[in-house]
Every structure is written in structure tokens, then in C-alpha cells.
Amino acid sequence: MTNIVIVGSGYVGLTTGSCLALLGNVVTCVDSDSERVKSLRNGRIPFFEEGIDGLVRDGVTQGRLSFTDDLEASISQAEMVFLCLPTPELPDGSADLSSVRAVLTTITRLVAKDAIIVYKSTIPINSLRLLKAWLSRSDVHFVSNPEFLREGSAVHDFLHPERIVIGGEDNHAMQRVCELYASLGGERILTDNTSAETIKYVSNAYLAMKISFVNEVSRFCGAVGANIGDVISGLASDSRMGSSHFSPGPGWGGSCFPKDTKALLHMSESSGFDFNLVRATIQSNDAHMVHIASRIVQVLAHMERQDDARVSILGLTFKAHTDDIRFSPALRIATLLRQHVHYLSGYDPLFQKSLKEFDIVSDDLYQALTGTDLAVVTTEWPEFKTLDAARARKLMRGDVFFDTRNVLDQTALSESGLRVLMVSSRL
Ligand code: UGA
């Protein structure tokens, strides 16, 4: 059992904290947002993440998990301090480390001798010297332990890792971090800090590149008349390529891929390396969203609906199974469409607040479809696969579904007189 303090109670911090409590440790989750702490103490999770509520409840009931906004009071007992803080993007693409700096300078005099600072936050490669300077303590060790959690399946990913990466300078400290995960599977990769930090950035860049590749393949299939579903099966069944992150979509988004690819490009530029593939991946992703918006505008033009076009967007978050709209492709497409359509409605199973891009964000799928000429499916929620096509046909003014995720039941929709277009369809 280790006494752990987790700094930052977002989806990474809360998942890490509640899972480490489940594994038998005593965990205090710290967050500077006292409202968030209050709601966590009352068992309310401030965001949607599958399975986390039960885990938090169990941890609290068993006395292994607690929440506080008092960083200074909690730190001196900690054997390990996990940094799970946001490192958002600055205008030049670099990462903003101000929260990390603020925490390290605050705990300088409080953290115990021989404590281990484990950083899960994605920090720029080779920032260790900065972290050390901010903490100014030679008797405390820094270990990089990047997270590979996907929003929506973070608890599952934590408890079933494929690899655990631990980077550090002190073998004993690295072993102690390794022991935390002793009961979990997956490969252990013990390395230095720089390599661990690099693994994190290039993993996200590779996955983003894989998606952009398949998105371009999708458009290429449209150009040559190939069947995208069969082409993906042909690729994904080869274990050298693998099936993950091979589903075409409206482009990748979220709080990680856009930020991390830009930061990687920024780091490569400042170290004199031209990371062409990463630059091309970022450009390809934006071009893909622009392409989708212009295809929709073209379809509306064919329907002679330029002036009073009415469009609905189904799925507002950056992917299904989350309520997170950060860097959501749906919102980028909505912004691009806004100047071409008269009315834009939106629907999402989890995100239901109003948004400036939309005339209405509805909590009802069929209300969002009502009176629209064209519906765009931007996330892969199961309820879109099973939507009532006959009802949709009656409510819509037009007859087109633009399925950017290839998830709709095309037979059911066409039997109801609806047309389904995909990125890979020929116009
Ligand atoms: C991603 C990584 O998958 C995690 O390993 C990593 O820990 C995390 O970033 C992070 O750095 O914190 P996440 O952003 O939650 O996780 O979501 P993903 O499921 O990877 O999806 C990212 C984007 O790619 C989404 O917009 C998603 O819709 C899109 N995507 C994903 C596709 O378009 N097709 C796919 O086949 C997979």
C-alpha cells in the first residue's frame, strides 16, 4: 500500500486515483477547483466517464479515496505525487506548463524526502530539467509514466494496459512505480525520461496519422469506385496494420491528438528536425473537415437549397461515449457550414448545452431532424445505427443523411426513401 496524492481531478487524474485506490493504495485527489472537490465528495462526477462513478463510490466507502482542494495540507504524507494536470496548447503550438510549475513551486518545501513525483501529464520532451528547477529538491525523484487512456474507456484502459511506460533516472524509484501496477497485465517498458515522454507524443501522432490515412483512403475509394468497408477489412485483418484507429470519420479531434501533434511539430522545429509526416497529418485532418463541409454544400446545391438550407448535425462531441466537445470535428464542420446554411440544428446523446454555431441544440434526435434537408452523422453513437428511418423521413424536409462514420443502417434508411452519402460515395 502506497500513500499517493494525485494533483488534478480531470478524467486522467480521477481515473488514475480511483484505479490506484482499487489496487489497494491510499489516494488523495487534489483539485484547485473547490466546486469540483465538493461535488466529488458528494459522489457526483463532474464529467461523463464510463464506470468511474462506481469506482469512486467504492474507494470512498472503503476509506482509500478522498478529495481535497488543499494541496499544501495533503502533500507531506505522500510517498508519491502524481501530476495529472492540463498542459494546454499555447498559440504557437507549444504546451503551457504553468499549472505544473505552480504546483511544483508550491510543494517545494512540503514534499517528503525520497518522495517520487510521477508525471502523467503530457509534458514537452526534455522538460525534466525545468521540473527539477521548479521543485529545487535533489532528494526527490521524477518518474515519467505517460497515460494511454481513451476518454470513454479510461477505466478499462487503466485496468487492462497493453504497456506501462516508466521513464526515470533512479532505478529504485522506477521499480516502486512499477510495483503499483504489479497486478495488471501488459508489457513494462522501463527507460529514461526523454524516451518515455517521446513514446507518448509519437504514439498519439502515429494514431492520428493512421486515422488521417484511412480518411484519405476513404476519399480515394470514392474517386476510384472501391468499397471502403471491404478495403478497411482488407487492411485491418493484417496484424501488421491492426484494426484500431482505422475507422473513417469526420477527422480526429479531442483534447489530445490536436494538441499533441501540434506540440510535437513545435518541438521538432525547435530541435532542428523537420517532422514532415506530422505536419502532413495535421494538414490532412483539417483538409478532411473542409472537404466534408464542401461536399455537404455541394449536395445542398444539387437540392437547390442554397438560400434556405436546413441542416442537422448528429453528434457534437469529438467522438461517441463522451460529453467532451474540445476540438470536436462536428463543431469545426458546423463553423464551416454556418455561412452556407440558413438553419443548423444539433443533437448529442450526452452534450446538450447551447452552442454559438447552432440555432438549436436539442435533447431529442427527432426534433433536431425536423424540417431539415440533410443530416450529418459525426459520431458513432449506437442510437444513430438504430434510428427510426420511417419517422426521420416523415419529419425531414429533405432526404439525405451524410454519414461521416459509416455507421448507419443503409438498407433501413433507403427502404424509407432516404439517401445515405458517405465520404467514400461518388457524387
Ligand atoms: C487518445 C489516445 O487514444 C489515448 O491513448 C491517449 O491516452 C489520449 O489520446 C491522451 O493523449 O490523453 P482520446 O483522445 O480519448 O485518446 O480518443 P481516441 O479514441 O483515440 O480518438 C481520438 C480521435 O480520433 C477522436 O476524434 C475519434 O473520433 C477519432 N478516431 C479514432 C477516428 O476517427 N477513427 C478511429 O478509428 C479512432
mmCIF file of all heavy atoms in Angstrom, residues 5 8 93 101 112 152 156 163 171 175 195 215 228 265 267 274 291 318 332 336 365 408 410 415:
data_model
loop_
_atom_site.group_PDB
_atom_site.id
_atom_site.type_symbol
_atom_site.label_atom_id
_atom_site.label_comp_id
_atom_site.label_asym_id
_atom_site.label_seq_id
_atom_site.Cartn_x
_atom_site.Cartn_y
_atom_site.Cartn_z
ATOM 1 N N VAL A 5 -0.745 11.036 -3.581
ATOM 2 C CA VAL A 5 -1.532 12.247 -3.843
ATOM 3 C C VAL A 5 -1.586 12.430 -5.351
ATOM 4 O O VAL A 5 -0.568 12.342 -6.040
ATOM 5 C CB VAL A 5 -0.904 13.483 -3.157
ATOM 6 C CG1 VAL A 5 -1.469 14.775 -3.739
ATOM 7 C CG2 VAL A 5 -1.176 13.445 -1.660
ATOM 8 N N GLY A 8 -4.792 17.138 -9.680
ATOM 9 C CA GLY A 8 -5.595 17.292 -10.905
ATOM 10 C C GLY A 8 -6.643 16.194 -10.953
ATOM 11 O O GLY A 8 -6.293 15.018 -10.989
ATOM 12 N N GLY A 93 1.586 26.621 -30.564
ATOM 13 C CA GLY A 93 1.584 25.155 -30.646
ATOM 14 C C GLY A 93 2.342 24.499 -29.506
ATOM 15 O O GLY A 93 2.277 23.287 -29.324
ATOM 16 N N ARG A 101 4.155 24.111 -13.167
ATOM 17 C CA ARG A 101 5.109 24.977 -12.464
ATOM 18 C C ARG A 101 4.523 25.450 -11.127
ATOM 19 O O ARG A 101 5.197 25.410 -10.082
ATOM 20 C CB ARG A 101 5.428 26.187 -13.354
ATOM 21 C CG ARG A 101 6.357 27.144 -12.692
ATOM 22 C CD ARG A 101 6.591 28.387 -13.535
ATOM 23 N NE ARG A 101 7.680 29.132 -12.968
ATOM 24 C CZ ARG A 101 8.502 29.887 -13.635
ATOM 25 N NH1 ARG A 101 8.362 30.034 -14.917
ATOM 26 N NH2 ARG A 101 9.460 30.531 -13.026
ATOM 27 N N ALA A 112 7.870 15.206 0.950
ATOM 28 C CA ALA A 112 8.760 14.418 1.819
ATOM 29 C C ALA A 112 10.054 14.032 1.104
ATOM 30 O O ALA A 112 10.082 13.873 -0.121
ATOM 31 C CB ALA A 112 8.024 13.156 2.268
ATOM 32 N N GLY A 152 -13.850 7.918 -22.383
ATOM 33 C CA GLY A 152 -14.959 6.998 -22.681
ATOM 34 C C GLY A 152 -14.619 5.571 -22.289
ATOM 35 O O GLY A 152 -15.514 4.778 -22.008
ATOM 36 N N HIS A 156 -11.344 1.144 -18.202
ATOM 37 C CA HIS A 156 -10.962 -0.119 -18.841
ATOM 38 C C HIS A 156 -9.498 -0.065 -19.278
ATOM 39 O O HIS A 156 -8.724 -0.996 -19.034
ATOM 40 C CB HIS A 156 -11.873 -0.401 -20.048
ATOM 41 C CG HIS A 156 -11.429 -1.603 -20.824
ATOM 42 N ND1 HIS A 156 -10.476 -1.528 -21.833
ATOM 43 C CD2 HIS A 156 -11.741 -2.918 -20.701
ATOM 44 C CE1 HIS A 156 -10.245 -2.739 -22.305
ATOM 45 N NE2 HIS A 156 -11.001 -3.601 -21.633
ATOM 46 N N ARG A 163 0.670 -1.718 -22.448
ATOM 47 C CA ARG A 163 2.032 -1.464 -21.982
ATOM 48 C C ARG A 163 1.996 -0.397 -20.908
ATOM 49 O O ARG A 163 1.099 0.448 -20.880
ATOM 50 C CB ARG A 163 2.969 -1.090 -23.126
ATOM 51 C CG ARG A 163 3.035 0.338 -23.628
ATOM 52 C CD ARG A 163 1.805 0.853 -24.207
ATOM 53 N NE ARG A 163 2.067 1.873 -25.232
ATOM 54 C CZ ARG A 163 1.133 2.578 -25.797
ATOM 55 N NH1 ARG A 163 -0.142 2.426 -25.454
ATOM 56 N NH2 ARG A 163 1.419 3.465 -26.726
ATOM 57 N N ASN A 171 16.719 3.891 -10.514
ATOM 58 C CA ASN A 171 16.109 2.562 -10.671
ATOM 59 C C ASN A 171 15.144 2.213 -9.561
ATOM 60 O O ASN A 171 14.078 1.651 -9.801
ATOM 61 C CB ASN A 171 17.205 1.486 -10.713
ATOM 62 C CG ASN A 171 17.755 1.387 -12.109
ATOM 63 O OD1 ASN A 171 17.063 1.725 -13.065
ATOM 64 N ND2 ASN A 171 19.006 0.960 -12.218
ATOM 65 N N GLN A 175 11.269 1.266 -10.000
ATOM 66 C CA GLN A 175 10.729 -0.021 -9.531
ATOM 67 C C GLN A 175 9.531 0.201 -8.630
ATOM 68 O O GLN A 175 8.545 -0.529 -8.695
ATOM 69 C CB GLN A 175 11.809 -0.826 -8.780
ATOM 70 C CG GLN A 175 12.839 -1.503 -9.678
ATOM 71 C CD GLN A 175 12.205 -2.357 -10.789
ATOM 72 O OE1 GLN A 175 11.093 -2.872 -10.645
ATOM 73 N NE2 GLN A 175 12.904 -2.489 -11.904
ATOM 74 N N SER A 195 12.882 9.319 -23.342
ATOM 75 C CA SER A 195 12.279 8.303 -24.214
ATOM 76 C C SER A 195 10.821 8.062 -23.837
ATOM 77 O O SER A 195 9.964 7.893 -24.725
ATOM 78 C CB SER A 195 13.058 6.988 -24.134
ATOM 79 O OG SER A 195 14.414 7.235 -24.393
ATOM 80 N N ASN A 215 -8.825 8.116 -43.582
ATOM 81 C CA ASN A 215 -9.774 9.126 -44.081
ATOM 82 C C ASN A 215 -9.455 9.492 -45.527
ATOM 83 O O ASN A 215 -10.353 9.677 -46.347
ATOM 84 C CB ASN A 215 -9.754 10.372 -43.189
ATOM 85 C CG ASN A 215 -10.516 10.148 -41.886
ATOM 86 O OD1 ASN A 215 -11.337 9.233 -41.784
ATOM 87 N ND2 ASN A 215 -10.253 10.971 -40.886
ATOM 88 N N ILE A 228 -15.199 1.062 -49.426
ATOM 89 C CA ILE A 228 -14.353 1.416 -48.275
ATOM 90 C C ILE A 228 -14.410 0.352 -47.172
ATOM 91 O O ILE A 228 -13.395 0.032 -46.558
ATOM 92 C CB ILE A 228 -14.697 2.829 -47.724
ATOM 93 C CG1 ILE A 228 -13.791 3.229 -46.550
ATOM 94 C CG2 ILE A 228 -16.155 2.965 -47.334
ATOM 95 C CD1 ILE A 228 -12.355 3.366 -46.820
ATOM 96 N N LEU A 265 5.155 18.858 -33.429
ATOM 97 C CA LEU A 265 5.694 19.620 -34.560
ATOM 98 C C LEU A 265 6.523 20.803 -34.053
ATOM 99 O O LEU A 265 7.621 21.065 -34.544
ATOM 100 C CB LEU A 265 4.528 20.109 -35.433
ATOM 101 C CG LEU A 265 4.909 20.669 -36.794
ATOM 102 C CD1 LEU A 265 5.643 19.632 -37.627
ATOM 103 C CD2 LEU A 265 3.653 21.134 -37.533
ATOM 104 N N MET A 267 8.051 21.035 -31.173
ATOM 105 C CA MET A 267 9.314 20.551 -30.581
ATOM 106 C C MET A 267 10.301 20.140 -31.662
ATOM 107 O O MET A 267 11.497 20.383 -31.542
ATOM 108 C CB MET A 267 9.043 19.332 -29.689
ATOM 109 C CG MET A 267 8.432 19.682 -28.366
ATOM 110 S SD MET A 267 8.184 18.192 -27.393
ATOM 111 C CE MET A 267 6.610 17.633 -27.945
ATOM 112 N N ASP A 274 12.817 18.296 -39.171
ATOM 113 C CA ASP A 274 11.616 18.559 -39.964
ATOM 114 C C ASP A 274 10.723 17.309 -39.955
ATOM 115 O O ASP A 274 10.971 16.364 -40.698
ATOM 116 C CB ASP A 274 12.046 18.905 -41.400
ATOM 117 C CG ASP A 274 10.854 19.393 -42.206
ATOM 118 O OD1 ASP A 274 9.771 19.570 -41.618
ATOM 119 O OD2 ASP A 274 11.013 19.587 -43.429
ATOM 120 N N HIS A 291 -13.147 19.341 -46.622
ATOM 121 C CA HIS A 291 -13.715 18.537 -47.708
ATOM 122 C C HIS A 291 -15.149 18.115 -47.375
ATOM 123 O O HIS A 291 -16.046 18.228 -48.206
ATOM 124 C CB HIS A 291 -12.840 17.297 -47.936
ATOM 125 C CG HIS A 291 -13.458 16.306 -48.856
ATOM 126 N ND1 HIS A 291 -13.332 16.376 -50.226
ATOM 127 C CD2 HIS A 291 -14.269 15.239 -48.597
ATOM 128 C CE1 HIS A 291 -14.026 15.385 -50.771
ATOM 129 N NE2 HIS A 291 -14.595 14.683 -49.811
ATOM 130 N N PHE A 318 -16.390 15.052 -29.592
ATOM 131 C CA PHE A 318 -15.348 14.687 -30.559
ATOM 132 C C PHE A 318 -15.381 13.211 -30.951
ATOM 133 O O PHE A 318 -14.755 12.814 -31.940
ATOM 134 C CB PHE A 318 -13.954 15.114 -30.062
ATOM 135 C CG PHE A 318 -13.340 14.232 -29.008
ATOM 136 C CD1 PHE A 318 -12.385 13.290 -29.346
ATOM 137 C CD2 PHE A 318 -13.672 14.369 -27.675
ATOM 138 C CE1 PHE A 318 -11.780 12.483 -28.400
ATOM 139 C CE2 PHE A 318 -13.082 13.567 -26.705
ATOM 140 C CZ PHE A 318 -12.141 12.623 -27.068
ATOM 141 N N ARG A 332 -16.200 22.022 -35.844
ATOM 142 C CA ARG A 332 -15.425 22.635 -36.946
ATOM 143 C C ARG A 332 -16.267 22.598 -38.231
ATOM 144 O O ARG A 332 -16.354 23.596 -38.956
ATOM 145 C CB ARG A 332 -14.120 21.854 -37.125
ATOM 146 C CG ARG A 332 -13.314 22.223 -38.344
ATOM 147 C CD ARG A 332 -12.410 23.430 -38.098
ATOM 148 N NE ARG A 332 -11.558 23.675 -39.246
ATOM 149 C CZ ARG A 332 -11.604 24.766 -40.001
ATOM 150 N NH1 ARG A 332 -12.449 25.743 -39.708
ATOM 151 N NH2 ARG A 332 -10.803 24.904 -41.028
ATOM 152 N N LEU A 336 -17.761 25.730 -40.493
ATOM 153 C CA LEU A 336 -17.561 25.853 -41.937
ATOM 154 C C LEU A 336 -18.895 25.943 -42.682
ATOM 155 O O LEU A 336 -19.024 26.636 -43.687
ATOM 156 C CB LEU A 336 -16.751 24.654 -42.461
ATOM 157 C CG LEU A 336 -15.284 24.583 -42.020
ATOM 158 C CD1 LEU A 336 -14.705 23.201 -42.270
ATOM 159 C CD2 LEU A 336 -14.450 25.643 -42.738
ATOM 160 N N LEU A 365 -33.272 13.568 -30.738
ATOM 161 C CA LEU A 365 -32.756 13.307 -32.091
ATOM 162 C C LEU A 365 -33.763 13.715 -33.163
ATOM 163 O O LEU A 365 -33.413 14.355 -34.163
ATOM 164 C CB LEU A 365 -32.415 11.817 -32.178
ATOM 165 C CG LEU A 365 -32.130 11.175 -33.528
ATOM 166 C CD1 LEU A 365 -30.934 11.809 -34.214
ATOM 167 C CD2 LEU A 365 -31.857 9.690 -33.345
ATOM 168 N N LEU A 408 -24.447 4.095 -40.313
ATOM 169 C CA LEU A 408 -25.902 3.986 -40.463
ATOM 170 C C LEU A 408 -26.306 2.665 -41.102
ATOM 171 O O LEU A 408 -25.519 2.049 -41.830
ATOM 172 C CB LEU A 408 -26.425 5.154 -41.307
ATOM 173 C CG LEU A 408 -26.292 6.543 -40.676
ATOM 174 C CD1 LEU A 408 -26.819 7.606 -41.629
ATOM 175 C CD2 LEU A 408 -27.038 6.608 -39.348
ATOM 176 N N GLN A 410 -27.847 1.403 -43.848
ATOM 177 C CA GLN A 410 -28.202 1.952 -45.165
ATOM 178 C C GLN A 410 -29.450 1.320 -45.742
ATOM 179 O O GLN A 410 -30.256 1.994 -46.379
ATOM 180 C CB GLN A 410 -27.042 1.724 -46.127
ATOM 181 C CG GLN A 410 -25.804 2.448 -45.687
ATOM 182 C CD GLN A 410 -24.905 2.803 -46.872
ATOM 183 O OE1 GLN A 410 -25.364 2.903 -47.995
ATOM 184 N NE2 GLN A 410 -23.642 2.997 -46.598
ATOM 185 N N GLU A 415 -34.873 1.945 -47.573
ATOM 186 C CA GLU A 415 -36.254 1.415 -47.646
ATOM 187 C C GLU A 415 -37.282 2.475 -47.257
ATOM 188 O O GLU A 415 -38.439 2.402 -47.649
ATOM 189 C CB GLU A 415 -36.397 0.189 -46.728
ATOM 190 C CG GLU A 415 -35.871 -1.072 -47.394
ATOM 191 C CD GLU A 415 -35.781 -2.258 -46.437
ATOM 192 O OE1 GLU A 415 -36.220 -2.156 -45.266
ATOM 193 O OE2 GLU A 415 -35.247 -3.289 -46.875
#
